[in-house]
């Protein structure tokens, strides 16, 4: 009976996860490309020109998915970190550190595209608005996580210390968000909400496809990075020395 | 409880034997706040406007100065390991150390802030709110900072790293702390900000010693 179930914990070991990740990477790249093509086509050719903002609004198709991913990746990172602390699995910590650079990149991208969008629309590169500020602080949290892990030589301690920081951060993110929200708000209200949406339907689809593209891209690069981390950390083991790509 | 008091007493005694460390942070606070008028200009209206923010940012930075030493000496001479092994829960002992850190770095700031506030032309009511906000906020700074201090224990470049980790987490304290004084000056009443600050303090008092303990155990592994 038990034999029919997939033994998920089998893949908690770097040795068995390494080839699995290798097999999954092309699929996620393929999905990212497919969603990207559809998303870009929808966002550039199908979505109508915005009545108020003209063509400039089209940066939303990069800006919003990037900021969604930056927040989502932090949650995933914290979940991996918590899993690593609770179950003491090595792979969880590796996944958390593999996700951090992508999350930081997404946060940076969200800020950068936001600045490009803000200049023509609001006439300024930067405002101290609640969402922008909390995105900036999220970026700092990512940098802190990466810096802490980089400062610790022992990878196991780096994983665990990073995990605690990620969990403290994830408790703090909503507090920071609401504190800056009450502090100042100028950002346009959320354009997307369940049930009622103030956007054209095609715009929404374009954004969703772009978000899926970003999501698949994030998974693909995180898996590539975790493979590199596995090779680095397990370099002393027999199975790594037996790998074809290592031998050649 | 006796153990907690003993930890607090010991840390205070150690600090009193080496007063310079405590005084350095205090003078840092005084000097930083005095630099702002020199950089910005002496107009009373402007100074009054920036006073809450300047005093709070200076308080954050002054608290940071002492954070790195919170566990460093105990880690170096093995006291920390004895604390981990002792029958008293580590969380309580850590709570004692955090309390001692606050008495040495936070409380003096609270007492000194009104004097510095006078330089910025704050009236008596605003000074009272400032003191109250700092009284609620500085323990919060010590509590959150303790997590960072435990995480960076014994690391290269720990000081700079510590500020990178902890300062983003200080944002809510800064917003509500400085906001309380600003709201009072604007005539809106500081009650809401102070209540939120107190809520954050309660939350941190519950979770921070626990997270600090976990971080210390990892550092000592």
């Amino acid at each position: 009976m038990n034999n029919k179930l997939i033994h998920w914990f089998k893949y908690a070991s770097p040795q068995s996860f390494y080839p699995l990740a290798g097999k999954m990477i092309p699929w996620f790249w393929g999905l990212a490309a497919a969603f990207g093509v559809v998303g870009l086509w929808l966002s550039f050719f199908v979505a109508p020109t915005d009545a108020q903002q003209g063509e400039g609004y089209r940066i939303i198709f990069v800006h919003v998915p990037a900021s969604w991913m930056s927040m989502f990746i932090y949650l995933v990172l914290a979940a991996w970190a918590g899993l690593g602390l609770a179950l003491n699995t090595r792979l969880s910590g590796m996944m958390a550190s593999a996700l951090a650079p992508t999350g930081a990149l997404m946060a940076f991208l969200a800020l950068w595209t936001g600045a490009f969008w803000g200049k023509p629309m609001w006439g300024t590169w930067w405002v101290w608005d609640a969402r922008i500020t909390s995105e900036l602080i999220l970026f700092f949290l990512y940098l802190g996580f990466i810096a802490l892990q980089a400062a610790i030589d022992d990878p196991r301690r780096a994983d665990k210390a990073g995990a605690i920081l990620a969990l403290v951060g994830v408790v703090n993110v909503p507090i920071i968000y609401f504190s800056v929200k009450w502090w100042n708000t100028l950002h346009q209200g959320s354009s997307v909400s369940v049930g009622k949406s103030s956007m054209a339907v095609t715009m929404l689809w374009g954004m969703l496809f772009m978000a899926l593209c970003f999501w698949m891209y994030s998974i693909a690069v995180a898996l590539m990075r975790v493979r590199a981390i596995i090779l680095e950390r397990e370099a002393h083991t027999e199975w790594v020395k037996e790998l074809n790509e290592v031998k050649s | 409880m006796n153990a907690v008091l003993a930890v607090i007493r010991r840390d205070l005694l150690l600090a009193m034997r080496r007063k310079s460390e405590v005084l350095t942070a205090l003078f840092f606070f005084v000097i930083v706040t005095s630099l702002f008028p020199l950089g910005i200009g002496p107009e009373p209206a402007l100074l009054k406007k920036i006073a809450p923010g300047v005093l709070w940012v200076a308080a954050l930075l002054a608290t940071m100065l002492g954070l790195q030493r919170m566990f460093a000496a105990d880690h170096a001479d093995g006291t920390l390991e004895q604390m981990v092994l002792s029958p008293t829960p580590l969380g309580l002992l850590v709570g004692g150390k955090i309390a001692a850190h606050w008495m040495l770095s936070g409380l003096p700031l609270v007492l000194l802030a009104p004097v510095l506030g006078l330089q910025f032309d704050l009236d008596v009511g605003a000074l009272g709110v400032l003191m109250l906000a700092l009284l609620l906020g500085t323990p919060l700074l010590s509590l959150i900072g303790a997590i960072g201090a435990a995480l960076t224990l014994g690391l290269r470049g720990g000081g700079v790293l510590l500020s990178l980790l902890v300062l983003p987490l200080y944002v809510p304290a800064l917003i509500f702390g400085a906001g309380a004084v600003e709201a009072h000056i604007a005539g809106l009443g500081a009650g809401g900000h102070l209540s939120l600050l107190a809520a954050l303090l309660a939350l941190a008092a519950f979770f921070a010693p626990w997270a600090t303990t976990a971080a210390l155990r990892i550092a000592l592994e």
Side-chain angles (χ1 to χ4, degrees):
Chain A
M1 168 104 180
N2 240 0
N3 293 337
K4 286 179 189 163
L5 295 170
I6 303 172
H7 290 286
W8 290 105
F9 276 104
K10 180 183 164 194
Y11 294 108
S13 132
Q15 184 181 356
S16 46
F17 188 73
Y18 181 82
L20 177 71
K23 284 199 193 96
M24 288 195 295
I25 288 169
W27 286 97
F28 283 111
W29 275 123
L31 283 171
F35 284 130
V37 167
V38 178
L40 286 174
W41 174 68
L42 282 174
S43 38
F44 276 103
F45 298 106
V46 180
T49 306
D50 190 84
Q52 290 166 3
Q53 307 195 353
E55 299 294 345
Y57 88 95
R58 288 185 199 274
I59 203 162
I60 195 176
F61 297 112
V62 177
H63 176 70
V64 172
S67 39
W68 279 349
M69 285 317 295
S70 67
M71 290 179 267
F72 179 64
I73 289 177
Y74 199 85
L75 287 182
V76 177
L77 188 157
W80 278 115
L83 204 64
L85 274 187
L87 301 177
N88 209 11
T89 44
R90 277 180 301 159
L91 189 64
S92 313
M94 296 184 194
M95 281 304 288
S97 27
L99 281 165
T102 309
L105 175 76
M106 290 294 171
F108 180 76
L109 206 58
L111 291 168
W112 194 250
T113 54
F116 276 142
W117 195 9
K119 186 62 184 167
M121 298 311 158
W122 298 336
T124 171
W125 296 106
W126 183 264
V127 286
W128 287 99
D129 149 78
R131 289 212 230 167
I132 303 176
T133 313
S134 36
E135 186 73 28
L136 181 69
I137 292 165
L138 183 67
F139 181 56
F140 291 157
L141 289 178
Y142 275 119
L143 291 188
F145 180 85
I146 296 170
L148 178 66
Q149 291 213 317
I152 305 177
D153 291 326
D154 173 23
R156 296 291 286 148
R157 188 186 161 191
D159 281 348
K160 289 185 175 175
I164 291 187
L165 184 67
L167 291 177
V168 170
V170 94
V171 172
N172 261 282
V173 163
I175 299 178
I176 292 172
Y177 176 73
F178 282 107
S179 58
V180 285
K181 186 169 177 174
W182 289 324
W183 170 64
N184 189 1
T185 289
L186 179 115
H187 203 283
Q188 67 185 49
S190 184
S191 313
V192 186
S193 54
V194 182
K196 61 181 171 69
S197 179
S198 65
M199 316 171 69
V201 179
T202 42
M203 285 187 200
L204 190 62
W205 278 111
M207 217 156 74
L208 287 179
F209 272 100
M210 287 309 286
L212 283 170
C213 164
F214 275 46
W215 192 0
M216 296 302 133
Y217 161 83
S218 305
I219 296 178
V221 285
L223 287 176
M224 287 176 80
R225 207 173 282 121
V226 84
R227 262 164 71 96
I229 294 174
I230 289 175
L231 284 186
E232 246 176 67
R233 292 207 193 162
E234 307 284 298
H236 58 278
T237 58
E238 278 305 312
W239 72 267
V240 168
K241 287 176 191 151
E242 296 296 314
L243 286 173
N244 284 328
E245 56 262 45
V246 176
K247 267 197 277 187
S248 58
Chain B
M1 213 55 217
N2 277 336
V4 180
L5 291 177
V7 167
I8 296 177
R9 202 174 146 265
R10 169 175 166 276
D11 276 16
L12 293 180
L13 201 61
L14 281 173
M16 283 305 117
R17 296 269 159 81
R18 301 187 60 185
K19 291 190 190 68
S20 67
E21 289 180 355
V22 178
L23 290 176
T24 311
L26 268 183
F27 281 118
F28 176 82
F29 182 56
V30 175
I31 291 170
V32 167
T33 46
S34 312
L35 285 179
F36 275 88
L38 296 177
I40 291 170
E43 298 143 55
L46 183 63
L47 289 183
K48 194 171 179 175
K49 180 133 182 51
I50 61 164
V54 167
L55 287 166
W56 261 93
V57 171
L60 295 191
L61 297 176
T63 316
M64 295 285 319
L65 287 182
L67 272 183
Q68 214 196 339
R69 287 193 305 272
M70 195 188 266
F71 299 112
D74 286 353
H75 181 53
D77 65 10
T79 316
L80 203 57
E81 280 171 22
Q82 298 304 316
M83 285 183 177
V84 174
L85 295 173
S86 91
T88 319
L90 182 57
L92 277 180
L93 298 178
V94 164
K97 287 195 75 70
I98 295 172
H101 176 266
W102 175 72
M103 287 178 202
L104 291 168
S105 73
L107 196 56
L109 297 189
V110 177
L111 299 175
L112 205 57
V115 184
L116 295 171
L118 285 176
Q119 289 186 321
F120 285 84
D121 196 29
L122 293 180
D123 57 44
V124 178
L127 289 178
V129 174
L130 176 68
M131 273 184 90
L132 201 56
L134 280 171
L135 197 61
L136 289 169
T138 44
L140 183 61
L141 303 183
S142 295
L143 283 161
I144 298 173
I147 304 175
L151 284 174
T152 55
L153 192 56
L155 298 183
R156 291 172 263 119
V160 184
L161 184 62
L162 180 59
S163 31
L164 186 61
L165 300 187
V166 167
L167 285 177
L169 301 176
Y170 278 173
V171 167
L174 173 65
I175 288 176
F176 294 128
V181 187
E182 274 160 23
H184 176 84
I185 294 174
L188 297 170
H193 287 89
L194 291 176
S195 308
L196 281 165
L197 210 52
L200 288 177
L201 176 59
L203 199 69
F206 186 76
F207 282 111
W210 182 60
T212 310
T213 311
L216 282 178
R217 284 188 203 279
I218 290 166
L220 289 175
E221 245 174 30

